[in-house]
Amino acid sequence: GAPALVRDWLETAHAKAGVNCSGCHGTPWQERPTEAACKECHAPEVRGFLAGKHGMRIAAGLTPMKPALARRAMRPEAAHRSLGCTSCHAAHRFDTQKAATEACVDCHRGPHIDAYGKSAHSANGLTCASCHLPRVEWRDEDSGEKRILVQHNQNETLEPAERLATPR
């Protein structure tokens, strides 16, 4: 119920930054905010998401991607989930730790994913996001502001072994 939602929200960076309910839900109230609400503060992340495999259908004006439409192996129980910002960043909680691995394995499957929990990657604190959704430096072209953000366009990082093994 509402007390649990408020408790989840109170633990987030959004709450600490003073973003209240209407910051995402807007006025008039929107029951389920879309990526447009996220884009108000997270424009580079949303652009990356919409350019990637997870958000490409939304960017094309279609219904959101669902694991059932994917060409890679997915978990059958996830088949009909609609992918959007809150698919990985649960609404009100926005837990980036959960989004970094748990959200991935909730939908994806295969030998690489199934082996993760017992791998050196897991033991060393590397997550799915470490390679497939890396943190990058971003600079606002207008203000010159620099910050580190997660690159949500995973098209360039689907096969990170080749990228990571190549000296730059």
Side-chain angles (χ1 to χ4, degrees), residues 11-24:
E11 297 175 11
T12 67
H14 287 130
K16 290 173 181 71
V19 177
N20 61 23
C21 301
S22 63
C24 297

Side-chain angles (χ1 to χ4, degrees), residues 33-110:
T34 66
E35 287 68 35
C38 301
K39 191 175 183 178
E40 290 294 317
C41 299
H42 302 283
E45 292 92 333
V46 171
R47 273 195 303 277
F49 171 78
L50 294 174
K53 304 265 184 220
H54 294 133
M56 65 185 180
R57 288 182 52 90
I58 296 170
L62 301 170
T63 57
M65 173 60 92
K66 294 182 179 190
L69 299 170
R71 293 184 180 158
R72 293 185 178 250
M74 296 290 160
R75 299 197 184 284
E77 61 273 21
H80 301 293
R81 292 180 188 157
S82 292
L83 301 183
C85 297
T86 58
S87 301
C88 299
H89 303 283
H92 304 108
R93 190 108 180 112
F94 302 102
D95 185 342
T96 57
Q97 288 301 110
K98 181 176 175 21
T101 296
E102 288 177 48
C104 303
V105 300
D106 281 351
C107 292
H108 291 269
R109 72 172 189 194

Side-chain angles (χ1 to χ4, degrees), residues 48-49 51-54 72 88 99-101 103-105 108-114 116 119 121 126-136 149-164 168:
F49 171 78
K53 304 265 184 220
H54 294 133
R72 293 185 178 250
C88 299
T101 296
C104 303
V105 300
H108 291 269
R109 72 172 189 194
H112 178 72
I113 287 136
D114 295 341
Y116 169 78
S119 73
H121 288 345
L126 291 174
T127 66
C128 300
S130 298
C131 295
H132 298 287
L133 298 167
R135 294 185 181 271
V136 296
L149 58 82
V150 171
Q151 175 45 272
H152 285 79
N153 177 355
Q154 70 289 83
N155 290 340
E156 296 178 10
T157 59
L158 287 175
E159 304 296 337
E162 291 82 9
R163 178 177 54 83
L164 295 173
R168 295 187 180 251

